[in-house]
């Protein structure tokens, strides 16, 4: 009678043939990386993991994160063989079969070049493929499991070359700090990168040394020895044990005489070489079979229970004035920084929806996420100064049904733009709030100012997720009321949102019953000669400019362009009411709101648009007024520009 | 007779008063962080470092990188006391004095809130303040020194909380791999972050363990013990020794009874509390003086020699066809991928200018930086899969007079947008080439596609560096000839450039004598009914569309909009010649070239602009044509849109 291990070994050898073939048929892909993982993947997917291939949406099942996303053919091969379900939703799902493997990387296929749950591969929780992000996603899933009291385990495969990415070590620190022993990191040490051998800094021994120094339980194993792998898992996992990290020595292109000679990274076998490799595997398979080994019915473990990700339910917060009155200064004079209003709104959200979680990177007393931290410490995760890990953890949390609100300085999110784009590709439902936006933080200087953030997020807002909703929504409140309303809006919008908040106090502009919608604008001063479109702090400066213009007999409208993408009708309506003249004003670099407005105007025709942006690299200034003048963004400069247009 | 150490201690105590006072006068700043560094900074700047405060531009002098930029008041205090020179160039420099410290964070001051050489503080090599980047800058400076045969030492201070940033560990790996013992990393372990105590993962012991595991010589010392600090440096530096990393236990707010109680991160002392703190320091000072200690004439060491950073000299490469003929396929049919042409041009550049250096992150065989690597191995730095470290190292290299050409996939540079913005703030002269741009890499899917890159870099291109040149120039070659010409253009342009290259071959479009300038465009098809502005691969698709339109009797012009910022005249001229109709076509998200064109058109008036961009998140496709159709970017879709406009 063959042991389970023997049977798993046989299955692994059989899967190798699928891995090689599907890449050759596709004409691209990474068979050699997949082959290096084949034994460990087989051990997990056919045995160790507690999940049901027929129900990929069970929020209590174990999960697998493939950080080195290019190795995905090994997963596809196993999942197809197990008849795992695929599709964009449970209602519209179907069972994958091995013949589907020939559709790898085809336009109509769910088998994308790299893992992406959003293209119909629900076995995965996040889009991966840009390297170094999986351990953080796994940590996010593990945090969610811990918060939910779930015993699910998150396995994560990381490439050795990939582990040079600093984000991996941010994740390791977080896992160690929180003692997240429901994550198992498995480093695939096949020794080969794309253009070179992996550095000795990423050898199994070096990695194990670093992991141990970071406080994980680091083990070096043979990644093709299924028994050793399963034993290591069994012996080192469980209550009270430190998080386990495995450095698995593997062979890139395992079992194929051709793929193990020379550098085959990212290259499929030419069709002519497939037969030789099939024979390699057939020999291995025959040898096992000759010993009486048969695969039989291999099945993964059973999940403890079946639960579903929380649905995103509409939340209605109390009136903004009710929420904001917790702030003494607001009560006194109605002025409050939008960042502080956001903090208060976040607490209200936390009360309204227990799935709301907060993350911040050691600036919670500046972003005011600290209010949430104080009220809901169990749902707040201090991520320390490691923005990349924070973002990808949020992706993991959202995949488990949480609604993560991630806070930092707007500037510091540029540290994680790759992670943010990957979140968008996976259609993660995360909410990003960048404080101290624009130049009005003044004295700290440009290293703390978010200046190209609007262009970056707005760029994503020009495309949609597939279902018509923009990939990303940009929101810019100008007062406490709109900050509360937009925080609520973010919670109710399914998909990525980016909200910019301000360091300094601004007066209350809106009433409690004001409505804010994606794509909308608000006319805060009604004129007829020119419409000044402003964002955030610049709306207030534009209002001063409108006052100055009055003295010259010019009646300027001021429009709060609080949302991107902006609806074309909002622009054309304002233009028509203001002699087809629009001046846009922002305290960030260009390609932002002004460009979006100009594009609508130029497509429509007959509307003139001029724009003021931050025209040069700012510097420190104690006085915000002086800095705005230095950048030609003060009320006088705005008024001057408006006059030039008339 | 007082020892040098006693005298340094006395000087340090005196500097504390300046640190505290300047922040109180400024009304903001980080006195407590500066105070935790005061003894080590004093030991370096008044003794150990070999540099001349009167010549900050000596390329052979030791350097100090302040990664935790917010601690900068301690440097300003010492540098002013030493009458260090400041100013934007040697020719226009002057000596700082202690009375200048009261201008900290003022608009007109060289004493910006965070270090920035570009604002007139030449003691620094790079803008810092967004955390985690200094060790990489130091590694870049050290690489340059080694390449130049210089014995200069680079000291780098890193915050303990800051060392949670993964980039620090990318830098540590690089320093270990290259054995860069001309860098000394000094971790300032004061135990306090902004919003919390530093995690135990960043304790001196934990850091030392990690550093040792990475292969550095890690030492834990008392950061306020000048003798111990200097002895540690003396004993552990020198030929053949491993790179040294010091974990210095320090006290945040050292010496001030007020600043050492509670959390004073980032807070200046209120004016009312200054006197108490001055008394604290006066007591310390008096005690030392009572022992007969006097500061006397403390001076730093002498640099071995005086050299200057290499000037950027104009390079003229051979004719593109000469350079490209090294490629067999090009010789055969004139088709070549722009990424490959870039690789060949880079080799030619390397021959023309020995200061050109190359960096790549394990994709050199995809970006074709491998050609440079093969020809000039001593000037090529394989950075492994760690893009953030690569970018900040390039900043360090450029500060030492090198011209770094940094190559990776366009997508993967989004990993380093924070570092790129910091490079721009410091006006670093770096050249970034992103390959596999847009969607035409097809099969690998969106995780490998650069889609918001144009918006991000173009955003910076809308602002200038202070001297009128754009912060960043975006270049998009469409064939081998323009790729060579633009590589040359990048080398000759002082400042940051971003060039996008393509995966797939494109036919030769330009003659050798074609001129390309920043802001320019090229009309590649001359029509009269509509101008189709395209970039990169889409220019070729637009040409096909123009052919389709011919059949309908429509004569479309095709304009290669190869450069951002784009000159207004290029847009208006093309519009006037084509019935004021422009259609823009790009295979990236919006807020990019099309938005820039629309802004010019809307400012001018009377020009209609419509745009095609990637309208939704792409997915894998084996066939590029099918993917373009899926995204409504194929020739047919372009022609259809053009017809709608007419």
């Amino acid at each position: 009678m063959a042991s389970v291990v023997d049977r798993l070994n046989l299955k692994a050898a059989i899967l190798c043939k699928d891995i090689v073939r599907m890449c050759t048929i596709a004409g691209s892909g990474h068979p050699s990386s997949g082959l290096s993982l084949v034994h460990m993947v087989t051990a997990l997917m056919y045995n160790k993991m507690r999940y049901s291939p027929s129900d990929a949406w069970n929020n209590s099942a174990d999960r697998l994160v493939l950080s080195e996303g290019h190795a995905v053919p090994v997963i596809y091969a196993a999942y197809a063989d197990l008849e795992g379900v695929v599709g964009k939703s449970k209602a519209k799902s179907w069972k994958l079969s091995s013949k589907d493997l020939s559709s790898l990387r085809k336009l109509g296929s769910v088998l994308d070049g790299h893992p992406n749950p959003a293209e119909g591969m629900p076995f995965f929780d996040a889009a991966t493929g840009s390297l170094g992000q999986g351990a953080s996603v796994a940590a996010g899933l593990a945090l969610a499991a811990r918060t939910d009291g779930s015993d699910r385990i998150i396995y994560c495969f990381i490439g050795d070359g990939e582990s040079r990415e600093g984000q991996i070590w941010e994740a390791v620190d977080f896992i160690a700090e929180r003692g997240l022993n429901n994550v198992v990191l498995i480093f695939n040490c096949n020794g080969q990168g794309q253009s070179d051998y992996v550095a000795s800094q990423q050898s199994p021994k070096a990695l194990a040394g670093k992991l141990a120094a970071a406080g994980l339980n680091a083990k070096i194993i043979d990644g093709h020895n299924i028994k050793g792998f399963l034993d290591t898992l069994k012996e080192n996992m469980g209550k009270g044990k430190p998080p386990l990290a495995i450095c698995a020595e593997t062979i890139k292109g395992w079992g194929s005489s051709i793929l193990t000679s020379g550098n085959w990274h990212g290259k499929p076998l030419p069709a002519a070489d497939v037969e030789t490799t099939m024979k390699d595997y057939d020999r291995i398979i025959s040898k096992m079979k000759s010993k009486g080994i048969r695969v039989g019915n291999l099945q993964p473990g059973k999940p403890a229970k079946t639960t579903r990700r929380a649905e995103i339910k509409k939340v209605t917060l109390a009136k903004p004035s009710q929420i904001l009155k917790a702030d003494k200064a607001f009560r006194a004079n109605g002025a409050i920084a939008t960042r502080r209003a956001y903090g208060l709104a976040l607490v209200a959200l936390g009360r309204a929806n227990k799935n709301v979680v907060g993350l911040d990177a050691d600036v919670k007393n500046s972003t005011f996420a600290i209010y949430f931290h104080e009220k809901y410490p169990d749902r707040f995760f201090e991520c320390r100064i490691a923005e990349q890990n924070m973002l990808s953890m949020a992706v993991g949390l959202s995949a488990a049904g949480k609604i993560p609100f991630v806070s930092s300085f707007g500037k510091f999110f540029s540290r994680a733009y790759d992670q943010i784009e990957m979140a968008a590709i996976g259609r993660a439902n995360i909410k990003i709030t960048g404080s101290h936006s624009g130049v009005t933080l003044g004295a700290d200087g440009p290293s703390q100012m978010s200046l190209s953030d609007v262009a970056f997020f707005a760029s994503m807002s020009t495309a949609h997720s597939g279902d018509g909703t923009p990939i990303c929504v940009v929101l810019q409140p100008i007062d406490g009321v709109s900050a509360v309303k937009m925080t609520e809006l973010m919670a109710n919008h399914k998909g990525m949102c980016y909200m910019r908040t301000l360091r300094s106090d601004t007066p209350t502009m809106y009433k409690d019953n004001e409505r804010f919608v994606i794509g909308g604008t608000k006319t805060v001063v009604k004129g007829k000669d020119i419409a000044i479109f402003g964002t955030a702090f610049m709306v207030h400066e534009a209002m001063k400019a409108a006052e100055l213009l009055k003295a010259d007999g010019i009646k300027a409208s001021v429009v709060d362009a609080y949302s991107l993408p902006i609806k074309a009708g909002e622009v054309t309506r304002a233009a028509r009411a203001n002699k087809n003249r629009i001046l846009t004003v922002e305290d960030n670099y260009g390609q932002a709101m002004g460009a979006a407005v100009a594009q609508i105007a130029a497509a429509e025709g007959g509307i003139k648009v001029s724009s003021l942006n931050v025209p040069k690299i700012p510097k420190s200034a104690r006085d915000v007024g002086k800095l705005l003048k230095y950048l030609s963004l003060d009320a006088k400069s705005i008024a001057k520009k408006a006059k030039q247009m008339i």
Side-chain angles (χ1 to χ4, degrees), chain A:
Chain A
M1 177 67 185
S3 72
V4 171
V5 168
D6 287 340
R7 293 162 56 208
L8 289 168
N9 270 314
L10 178 56
K11 176 56 79 180
I14 294 167
L15 291 177
C16 290
K17 297 173 70 172
D18 281 336
I19 295 168
V20 170
R21 270 189 306 230
M22 80 174 94
C23 294
T24 298
I25 292 168
S28 70
H30 293 251
S32 60
S33 299
L35 293 169
S36 66
L37 285 177
V38 71
H39 292 97
M40 292 187 289
V41 164
T42 304
L44 289 178
M45 289 181 69
Y46 287 86
N47 181 270
K48 182 71 182 174
M49 280 176 68
R50 299 161 302 165
Y51 78 110
S52 164
S54 64
D55 181 8
W57 291 271
N58 181 0
N59 205 35
S60 292
D62 292 347
R63 305 298 290 175
L64 190 159
V65 178
L66 187 67
S67 188
E68 49 169 332
H70 55 271
V72 73
V74 63
I75 309 282
Y76 290 157
Y79 199 62
D81 178 57
L82 285 157
E83 297 188 331
V85 287
V86 292
K88 292 190 183 180
S89 69
K90 194 166 178 357
K92 294 179 187 168
S93 63
W94 69 96
K95 284 183 179 178
L96 202 65
S97 82
S98 289
K99 68 177 192 301
D100 293 323
L101 296 176
S102 60
S103 74
L104 174 69
R105 292 176 167 231
K106 264 191 148 173
L107 188 57
S109 172
V110 299
L111 306 179
D112 231 48
H114 291 77
N116 191 354
E119 294 300 345
M121 189 63 194
F123 182 77
F124 292 118
D125 293 282
T128 53
S130 184
L131 296 171
Q133 304 184 18
S136 305
V137 172
L141 286 162
L143 269 184
R146 186 166 283 191
T147 309
D148 291 343
S150 164
D151 75 345
R152 74 199 301 205
I153 302 290
I154 324 296
Y155 299 92
C156 178
F157 285 107
I158 302 162
D160 49 358
E162 177 188 14
S163 70
R164 186 82 167 222
E165 289 283 10
Q167 186 184 353
I168 296 288
W169 302 94
E170 296 177 0
V172 165
D173 266 350
F174 189 90
I175 290 165
E177 180 177 351
R178 294 267 174 169
L180 291 177
N181 61 2
N182 50 348
V183 181
V184 180
L185 302 181
I186 306 163
F187 292 82
N188 176 22
C189 299
N190 61 37
Q192 280 184 31
Q194 178 183 315
S195 76
D196 202 348
Y197 290 101
V198 168
S200 65
Q201 278 64 36
Q202 279 67 48
S203 71
K205 204 178 148 199
L207 286 175
K210 290 172 184 179
L211 291 161
L216 302 200
N217 177 18
K219 298 284 173 195
I220 298 176
I221 67 162
D222 172 358
H224 297 290
N225 180 337
I226 287 179
K227 184 173 186 311
F229 175 57
L230 290 173
D231 286 349
T232 303
L233 292 174
K234 200 172 172 185
E235 288 159 17
N236 295 284
M237 289 169 67
K239 218 174 162 180
K241 294 194 174 160
L244 173 62
I246 292 173
C247 303
E249 296 178 308
T250 61
I251 294 162
K252 202 156 174 169
W254 183 88
S256 160
S257 51
I258 298 173
L259 289 171
T260 49
S261 48
N263 183 357
W264 282 88
H265 178 93
K267 291 177 202 153
L269 266 186
D273 290 334
V274 170
E275 204 186 320
T276 309
T277 288
M278 291 304 121
K279 281 185 185 158
D280 289 340
Y281 292 117
D282 284 337
R283 265 191 301 274
I284 297 169
I285 292 164
S286 299
K287 204 172 155 189
M288 285 194 263
K289 286 194 173 168
S290 72
K291 292 180 189 164
I293 301 168
R294 298 291 178 274
V295 168
N297 182 27
L298 285 169
Q299 285 293 331
K302 291 251 178 299
K305 51 184 174 172
T306 299
T307 58
R308 299 290 164 216
R309 283 180 207 172
E311 290 290 314
I312 294 161
K313 283 185 194 145
K314 190 164 188 294
V315 167
T316 306
L317 297 186
K319 286 180 186 172
S321 59
Q322 280 294 109
I323 290 168
L324 297 172
K325 75 176 186 188
D327 186 65
K328 196 177 157 188
F330 179 82
R331 285 200 306 275
N333 61 17
I336 187 166
T338 50
R339 60 183 169 133
R340 198 183 285 269
Y342 160 72
L344 294 170
L346 202 52
V347 172
L349 259 188
R351 189 163 40 233
N353 187 335
K354 70 176 173 42
N355 290 310
V356 168
V357 297
L359 300 92
D360 191 289
D362 195 28
V363 287
K364 57 185 178 285
N365 52 347
S366 288
T367 62
F368 287 105
I370 197 165
Y371 293 156
F372 187 90
H373 161 67
E374 285 163 352
K375 190 78 184 176
Y376 302 106
D378 295 344
R379 285 193 265 147
F380 179 84
F381 310 112
E382 172 54 65
C383 300
R384 313 291 180 180
I385 306 173
E387 295 78 10
Q388 301 184 87
N389 178 57
M390 174 166 71
L391 250 296
S392 302
M393 285 209 308
V395 172
L397 283 157
S398 75
K402 303 298 171 193
I403 306 171
F405 279 72
V406 193
S407 311
S408 184
F409 277 39
K411 173 71 176 84
F412 305 151
F413 279 118
S414 63
R415 198 57 161 263
Y417 280 179
D418 187 16
Q419 289 77 7
I420 287 168
E421 241 187 283
M422 291 306 298
I425 291 169
R427 278 69 155 184
N429 182 38
I430 63 173
K431 319 298 169 183
I432 302 166
T433 303
S435 72
H436 297 66
S437 62
V439 303
T440 51
L441 64 88
D444 277 313
S447 70
Q448 321 289 300
M449 296 173 179
S450 60
L451 298 167
S452 47
D453 58 333
V454 180
F456 174 77
F457 285 100
S459 177
M460 290 198 289
S461 83
T462 66
H464 66 83
S465 294
D467 63 354
T469 56
I471 297 177
C472 178
V473 171
V474 181
L475 296 166
Q476 301 203 52
I478 63 168
D479 72 347
V481 172
S482 50
V484 172
K485 289 277 186 179
M486 289 177 196
T487 306
E488 181 186 88
L489 186 60
M490 287 202 285
N492 290 329
H493 174 75
K494 204 183 157 206
M496 186 188 288
C497 301
Y498 176 63
M499 185 164 89
R500 296 176 100 218
T501 62
L502 294 166
R503 179 181 189 280
S504 46
D505 286 0
T506 47
T508 298
M509 298 289 301
Y510 292 117
K511 296 213 163 63
D512 276 344
N513 60 358
E514 205 78 52
R515 271 192 74 225
F516 295 87
V517 295
I518 290 162
T521 66
K522 293 272 175 200
T523 299
V524 292
V525 175
K526 214 172 146 64
K528 63 178 185 54
D529 296 319
I530 185 169
I532 308 178
F533 277 57
T535 53
F537 194 89
M538 299 315 290
V539 172
H540 300 278
E541 208 64 23
M543 288 174 69
K544 285 186 212 160
E547 279 300 311
L548 294 175
L549 287 165
K550 258 191 201 163
D552 289 310
I554 297 167
K555 287 186 179 158
S557 297
V558 177
V559 177
D560 174 8
Y562 63 81
S563 162
L564 289 172
I566 185 168
K567 283 181 201 159
E570 302 283 317
V571 174
T572 51
R573 196 161 40 246
R576 299 312 171 213
N578 290 277
K579 300 185 180 157
N580 286 316
R581 293 185 196 118
I582 296 177
L583 171 61
T584 68
V585 193
E586 296 165 272
D587 69 340
N588 41 254
Y589 296 148
Q591 306 292 117
M593 179 274 287
V597 168
Q599 257 188 313
I600 292 165
E604 176 75 16
I607 304 168
K608 275 217 178 191
V609 181
S610 284
S611 296
L612 289 174
N613 288 96
V614 173
K616 58 183 170 183
I617 298 174
K619 69 176 299 301
S620 288
R622 291 182 197 167
D623 183 287
V624 171
K626 282 186 186 162
L627 183 60
L628 290 176
K629 197 178 160 194
Y630 173 77
L631 300 169
S632 308
L633 287 171
D634 57 319
K636 265 193 190 167
S637 300
I638 297 168
K640 194 177 152 194
K641 184 81 180 178
K643 272 192 273 182
Q644 283 170 2
M645 285 185 75
I646 291 170

